[in-house]
Amino acid sequence: MDTPAAVDGVLLAVRAKLPEFTGALKRVAEQVLTDPAGAARATIVELAERSGTSPATVTRFCRALGFEGYAELRLGIAAETGRARAAGWTVDIGREIEPGDPLEKVLEQIMAADTRAMHDTAALLDLSEVERAADAIAGAARVNIFGASGSALVGEEMQFSLHRIGVAAWAWTDVHNGLASAALLRAGDVALGISHSGQTRETIEMLAEAGSHGATTVALTSFPRSPLAELADIVLVTATQATTFRPDALSARHPQLVVLDLLYIAVAQRTHDRAHAAFQRTAQAVDGHKAAKEAAR
């Protein structure tokens, strides 16, 4: 049996395991995530009816999360939803955004979703893994960053940050160029693959190629048991809170940026003298353009 989910992370555990569930178990998980407060109040029979399953399935769902039975699961969900309300995370978490909703309401929903995603990411993130990744990058001769679509944009942000402090980093989005660059990596280099789902084939291929040549591989994903995570030496996990017009892949962007910002700062700490000097030189290099703009006004 799995280790029981922490009382303050039941919903987080359900979201993390959702890709592993199929059929009836998946329907129970989706029902719990859609209406956690209702699940906390429901009997096992009521939850089974709402999810179109059976009490036996609900019991299997509880055990898949590491709980002995439904009573323990209910207590964990009730405690978590109670804390969310007390902390000011609006009840609109998970509420669908309607086309006619005023922007004020939409803003509340987005802020609530992002706030929860940040808190969940902080709970999921293994800081020892961040430290391992920072140590590897700080000592690397070359850092390759791989990603596609939205993950590519996040990767480019990280590449820019690392370059500003003197770390030789490249962001690759084209699989052919990425594979060619990955093939030139060697022991002591670092490859970072970014994919919310952890299932983007191109990113998996590029990270695998880098690893086959001895590079330290790092995965940034929302699913710790995904193919990308399975092949990486170091795994950094993020959480998401989707809204109607911003599905998981897009809602992952802010948590990804937070984790990468933490990683960047950890690298800068480890290379302080070099990073400080590089940042001053790069800032000075573009300063003249800023002054020219002001003079033009």
Side-chain angles (χ1 to χ4, degrees):
M1 184 181 295
D2 292 340
T3 301
V7 170
D8 60 351
V10 178
L11 300 180
L12 185 58
V14 175
R15 280 192 293 273
K17 282 184 170 288
L18 188 60
E20 302 172 30
F21 292 141
T22 59
L25 286 179
K26 186 172 185 178
R27 293 200 297 275
V28 176
E30 290 173 341
Q31 179 61 38
V32 168
L33 292 175
T34 299
D35 185 14
R41 294 190 299 268
T43 66
I44 189 171
V45 173
E46 289 171 338
L47 182 59
E49 290 176 348
R50 292 173 190 176
S51 58
T53 61
S54 67
T57 299
V58 175
T59 299
R60 283 196 297 119
F61 172 76
C62 296
R63 290 176 178 166
L65 293 172
F67 292 110
E68 290 295 332
Y70 184 58
E72 189 178 355
L73 176 70
R74 281 183 65 188
L75 286 174
I77 297 173
E80 187 171 351
T81 54
R83 271 191 298 275
R85 285 191 295 272
W89 296 330
T90 73
V91 182
D92 279 344
I93 287 286
R95 170 189 173 275
E96 290 297 307
I97 297 176
E98 301 297 337
D101 281 349
L103 285 182
E104 180 182 10
K105 192 68 176 177
V106 174
L107 177 60
E108 289 178 1
Q109 170 72 351
I110 293 172
M111 291 296 293
D114 281 351
T115 299
R116 187 54 187 272
M118 298 300 184
H119 280 273
D120 285 351
T121 295
L124 278 174
L125 193 60
D126 184 342
L127 294 181
S128 66
E129 290 286 272
V130 177
E131 290 178 346
R132 287 181 62 207
D135 288 339
I137 292 173
R142 181 185 180 97
V143 177
N144 271 7
I145 302 170
F146 306 121
S149 190
S151 295
L153 299 176
V154 174
E156 288 171 354
E157 286 273 347
M158 184 62 170
Q159 185 266 341
F160 171 75
S161 297
L162 291 175
H163 250 167
R164 287 296 299 271
I165 60 171
V167 176
W170 287 262
W172 302 99
T173 58
D174 178 86
V175 66
H176 293 271
N177 291 336
L179 286 171
S181 182
L184 297 177
L185 296 181
R186 56 189 178 182
D189 293 332
V190 174
L192 168 63
I194 304 171
S195 170
H196 158 66
S197 67
Q199 297 181 3
T200 303
R201 188 180 67 185
E202 293 84 354
T203 304
I204 293 169
E205 289 178 356
M206 290 186 284
L207 198 68
E209 181 69 23
S212 72
H213 295 283
T216 298
T217 53
V218 183
L220 178 65
T221 180
S222 298
F223 298 99
R225 297 186 184 180
S226 62
L228 185 71
E230 291 291 340
L231 68 85
D233 299 312
I234 301 169
V235 180
L236 308 178
V237 182
T238 58
T240 65
Q241 281 285 339
T243 60
T244 309
F245 300 105
R246 198 174 56 159
D248 275 345
L250 291 178
S251 64
R253 180 178 53 197
H254 291 155
Q256 286 174 340
L257 287 170
V258 167
V259 173
L260 291 179
D261 198 29
L262 176 63
L263 178 58
Y264 155 70
I265 291 172
V267 172
Q269 287 177 319
R270 286 158 173 75
T271 60
H272 179 268
D273 292 342
R274 183 184 77 187
H276 182 67
F279 195 81
Q280 284 189 318
R281 290 198 300 271
T282 54
Q284 186 176 10
V286 300
D287 190 58
H289 288 273
K290 293 180 180 178
K293 283 184 178 181
E294 291 173 1
R297 291 175 185 169

